[in-house]
Amino acid sequence: MSSYLEASGRERIHQLLDAGTFEEFLPPARRIVSPHLEQLDTPVSFDDGVVIGRGRLRGRMVYAAAQEGGFMGGGVGEVHGAKLVGLLRRAVADGAEAVLLLVETGGVRLHEANAGLIAVSEVMRAVLDVRDAGIPVIVLVGGANGCFGGMGIVARCANRIIMSEEGRLAMSGPEVIETANGVEEFDSRDRALVWRTTGGKHRYLLGDCHRIVADNVTAFRDAASDAIDEAKAGEVELSLQELEGEQLLLEQRIQRFGDCADPLEIWSDLGVPQAKKIPMLEADAFTAIANAHRLGAKA
Amino acid sequence: MNWKELVNQLFPQGHDIAERECFLSGSAQVGHQTVTVIGTTEHTPIGIEIAQAQAQAVLATVRDYPGRPIVILVDTQGQRLRHRDEMLGINSYMAHLGKCIELARRRGHKVIGLVYDQALSGGFITSGLMADACYALPDATIRVMGLPAMARITKVPLERLTELAKANPVFAPGAENYFLMGGVQALWQGDLAQQMQEALEKADPHDRRAALGEERGGRRLAHGVMQAVMNDGIAGTA
């Protein structure tokens, strides 16, 4: 069983899909690179940090993208973002069975931030277009860089999110918050606090992520396949009913937990026994305990 | 321009827009139709409460006034940078707002954004950038970060960045650069009410920003790359 965390984006996408079925769009041989990084004399990557294409997952044709955390932290630039948008639009045009986004990113790539910001909003709209076509979008988060910035928003536009215990999902990174408002606001070196605040288990307990898996590619593969079935069993596209339900959940979250200072208080409030031990639990043991107490959709 | 002066110029036929803790909401008359107006003021950071309040106003419009256009007035310093917002999942609140705007669009509501002062990063992505078309006043500030901060992070000297930014709108902040990149539809000068009315008439639910960026020369690659993905290996093995 190979670690999802330690694999590159390219390795993840190949290992996640049925062996030998992945077909890449705009592969590195095409050398479509960022013109802006070149201007800044910064090294470029021949895939601009994202692998896109299609392949089969348990026989079903899925369209997939994997960001490379190792290149500029998976940051979204003009070309990187356009590859994601192109993939999403093509998934609709070709009638894919599902879209998998293997996200690992700090958000907008700061070297080309203005283009990156527009690109992330284009990705967001394209994700919702895919859902509107009745095609489920599944997000996987388990890379070392987590899923931050605008892509943290995009992730929550998908039908399902699967995270490993090591995965992190948020908007502004702890370093950004510490820089803006001081170490008393958020100590970015307090790893346990960072993990409690942004980590997969907290997101699962709040209902913002739908499945927690162990850090291996097979577990992600199984969960992704299940997630497609789960999404297709319900309404894939946005509906007023879904969003009114979400509005209520998010309102209740502020009312109930708005005064909490630490996620531990939230977990205790949810009735999780021995909340302090949550960080130590393996994925399966955690899920067994969490399911009786977590908010939002059932796993 | 302060928001009261702005809305008086935008909606001379009348409005009932009110401010509560930097959140603007109400309705206004544009030609023969009533529009919903939401927005923020005083560069307020977008935290979970304001994101939620904006989403609530959009959902109420969808539910109670089918088809009524929605105008989003943008003035924010970006997402709120607090531990509490992150702990409670601010990305989910932002996504929720974005999804509510998207639902409105799908149900036939026209959505117009206007950056009248500041638009930064995460505060912009689920407001103006989710509209059918986002406009800006000419002296509006639109950016992720200023050049000095970018110089620090990228380790590229400020002088060089400043020089590069003259010819490449991707590097530099500003409404004009966002116009060139296609992120802003047009800059408004003169009669704002007239331009609001025209914007509502022209609103197009399709996302054409990449094509605009190519036409205007501010984002030369994005549209071509999207097209290339659509066509790559089309004779292949699907």
Side-chain angles (χ1 to χ4, degrees):
Chain A
M1 286 199 290
S2 61
S3 165
Y4 185 95
L5 184 80
E6 287 166 20
S8 69
R10 186 167 294 280
E11 287 165 347
R12 284 174 195 151
I13 208 166
H14 279 278
Q15 292 172 16
L16 197 87
L17 299 176
D18 298 348
T21 63
F22 182 65
E23 176 197 357
E24 186 168 352
F25 301 144
L26 306 192
R30 296 277 294 272
R31 301 199 173 189
I32 298 174
V33 303
S34 164
H36 313 299
L37 294 179
E38 284 183 322
Q39 276 194 291
L40 298 173
D41 299 323
T42 301
V44 298
S45 169
F46 290 154
D47 57 18
D48 204 39
V50 64
V51 181
I52 59 167
R54 65 183 163 199
R56 295 195 178 269
L57 180 64
R58 299 244 163 86
R60 287 191 286 205
M61 180 56 77
V62 300
Y63 283 51
Q67 294 178 297
E68 292 288 5
F71 180 68
M72 315 222 66
V76 179
E78 178 175 351
V79 170
H80 182 120
K83 285 178 75 175
L84 288 170
V85 173
L87 178 85
L88 291 159
R89 290 187 180 165
R90 184 155 176 188
V92 174
D94 293 358
E97 293 222 39
V99 171
L100 307 182
L101 300 177
L102 285 59
V103 178
E104 180 175 357
T105 181
V108 167
R109 182 186 297 167
L110 297 175
H111 297 69
E112 41 189 298
N114 295 317
L117 188 68
I118 301 172
V120 170
S121 89
E122 288 170 331
V123 171
M124 189 168 157
R125 286 188 58 178
V127 161
L128 295 171
D129 285 342
V130 171
R131 286 184 55 180
D132 199 56
I135 301 168
V137 180
I138 314 295
V139 164
L140 285 63
V141 182
N145 291 280
C147 172
F148 285 88
M151 289 301 289
I153 302 174
V154 169
R156 289 288 283 124
C157 290
N159 293 93
R160 319 284 287 183
I161 299 179
I162 301 161
M163 297 179 73
S164 65
E165 307 166 65
E166 293 83 358
R168 290 175 298 145
L169 171 65
M171 191 163 176
S172 306
E175 294 83 2
V176 174
I177 294 175
E178 185 182 315
T179 304
N181 286 310
V183 68
E184 307 78 20
E185 178 65 32
F186 200 165
D187 183 352
S188 65
R189 280 165 304 178
D190 184 342
R191 292 177 61 95
L193 174 66
V194 169
W195 184 89
R196 286 199 299 279
T197 304
T198 66
K201 285 175 179 166
H202 179 53
R203 297 305 178 211
Y204 186 76
L205 284 165
L206 281 183
D208 285 355
C209 129
H210 305 84
R211 183 86 174 264
I212 291 289
V213 296
D215 172 38
N216 71 69
V217 180
T218 309
F220 271 102
R221 173 179 155 87
D222 292 344
S225 181
D226 292 348
I228 296 172
D229 293 327
E230 290 157 11
K232 286 194 172 185
E235 214 167 355
V236 175
E237 63 271 31
L238 291 177
S239 68
L240 181 59
Q241 195 187 2
E242 173 200 336
L243 292 178
E244 283 184 328
E246 188 168 78
Q247 178 81 19
L248 189 64
L249 279 177
L250 292 174
E251 253 165 41
Q252 288 170 344
R253 189 185 292 183
I254 296 176
Q255 284 162 12
R256 187 166 170 191
F257 306 121
D259 294 328
C260 292
D262 189 294
L264 268 175
E265 293 171 34
I266 297 178
W267 305 346
S268 297
D269 191 314
L270 286 171
V272 175
Q274 296 186 294
K276 278 187 179 154
K277 292 200 171 158
I278 284 292
M280 266 77 82
L281 298 173
E282 297 288 333
D284 287 346
F286 164 75
T287 304
I289 291 174
N291 279 358
H293 305 283
R294 70 187 286 262
L295 301 168
K298 289 282 163 272
Chain B
M1 193 184 308
N2 80 45
W3 73 267
K4 284 183 181 162
E5 194 186 328
L6 174 79
V7 296
N8 286 334
Q9 287 192 30
L10 281 173
F11 309 115
Q13 292 174 272
H15 68 81
D16 62 8
I17 301 160
E19 187 231 319
R20 186 173 45 84
E21 293 171 27
C22 296
F23 168 59
L24 306 175
S25 72
S27 60
Q29 200 62 29
V30 178
H32 58 86
Q33 57 187 346
T34 305
V35 302
T36 289
V37 180
I38 60 169
T40 54
T41 187
E42 290 176 44
H43 312 336
T44 191
I46 309 297
I48 56 178
E49 288 85 0
I50 280 193
Q52 185 74 354
Q54 294 189 87
Q56 175 66 52
V58 173
L59 281 183
T61 300
V62 170
R63 194 175 47 235
D64 301 335
Y65 304 101
R68 179 181 277 191
I70 297 168
V71 173
I72 307 171
L73 303 176
V74 182
D75 176 23
T76 174
Q77 59 185 270
Q79 72 271 25
R80 191 160 64 192
L81 300 171
R82 295 286 175 187
H83 175 267
R84 173 178 176 271
D85 290 273
E86 292 300 336
M87 177 179 75
L88 295 178
I90 187 172
N91 60 311
S92 296
Y93 288 80
M94 295 285 196
H96 177 65
L97 172 57
K99 286 183 279 189
C100 289
I101 296 172
E102 186 64 36
L103 177 77
R105 178 181 7 260
R106 304 240 172 245
R107 294 190 160 211
H109 298 254
K110 293 178 172 180
V111 186
I112 299 298
L114 174 63
V115 182
Y116 69 97
D117 201 322
Q118 272 194 10
L120 266 68
S121 299
F124 189 32
I125 242 172
T126 53
S127 60
L129 287 176
M130 278 303 285
D132 296 339
C134 185
Y135 296 85
L137 301 187
D139 50 3
T141 304
I142 308 182
R143 63 177 158 90
V144 177
M145 58 171 52
L147 284 178
M150 184 175 158
R152 258 197 326 276
I153 286 168
T154 61
K155 315 256 193 288
V156 176
L158 182 58
E159 301 70 35
R160 182 157 158 70
L161 269 184
T162 309
E163 193 56 37
L164 286 170
K166 286 180 191 160
N168 186 346
V170 165
F171 294 137
E176 171 70 19
N177 284 327
Y178 272 79
F179 168 79
L180 291 172
M181 289 183 286
V184 162
Q185 185 79 21
L187 303 180
W188 282 357
Q189 277 162 313
D191 185 343
L192 298 182
Q194 176 68 27
Q195 287 168 101
M196 177 58 77
Q197 188 152 3
E198 286 170 11
L200 285 166
E201 284 160 16
K202 285 190 299 204
D204 174 357
H206 299 100
D207 188 348
R208 304 197 190 284
R209 289 173 291 182
L212 274 180
E214 184 181 47
E215 269 169 45
R216 295 170 180 174
R219 262 193 318 153
R220 293 164 199 264
L221 284 188
H223 187 242
V225 168
M226 291 175 194
Q227 294 302 116
V229 175
M230 293 296 289
N231 299 322
D232 193 26
I234 206 86
T237 54

